Amino acid sequence: MLRGAFVRETLRSIARTQKDEAEFYASLGLANTVYLGEGRYERDSARFCQYLVPVGADDCLALLK
C-alpha cells in the first residue's frame, strides 16, 4: 500500500518537473554531447564507476523494505 502510494507520487512529481528539466538541460547545450570512451558510459567509464552508482527500480524497492 505504501509502496504504491510512493510510486504514484513519484510519477506525478516526475511529470510536473520533466518539462522544466528538459528545457533547463537543453539550455546548457548538452544535446550534442558524445561519450568518446569505449562501450557505454554508465557501464564502462572509469569516472562513472568511481563516483556514481546506477540505481534501478529493484534497488529503490529494496530501500523501501
Side-chain angles (χ1 to χ4, degrees), residues 25-53:
Y25 286 109
S27 75
L28 297 176
L30 298 175
N32 295 320
T33 301
V34 177
Y35 172 59
L36 297 176
E38 296 292 323
R40 292 182 55 174
Y41 177 71
E42 68 274 10
R43 189 178 55 221
D44 300 314
S45 166
R47 291 278 192 200
F48 184 96
C49 295
Q50 182 178 0
Y51 296 112
L52 302 171
V53 176

Side-chain angles (χ1 to χ4, degrees), residues 12-28:
R12 279 193 290 272
S13 176
I14 289 169
R16 284 192 303 265
T17 61
Q18 192 171 28
K19 181 178 180 284
D20 292 337
E21 289 176 0
E23 290 173 359
F24 170 73
Y25 286 109
S27 75
L28 297 176

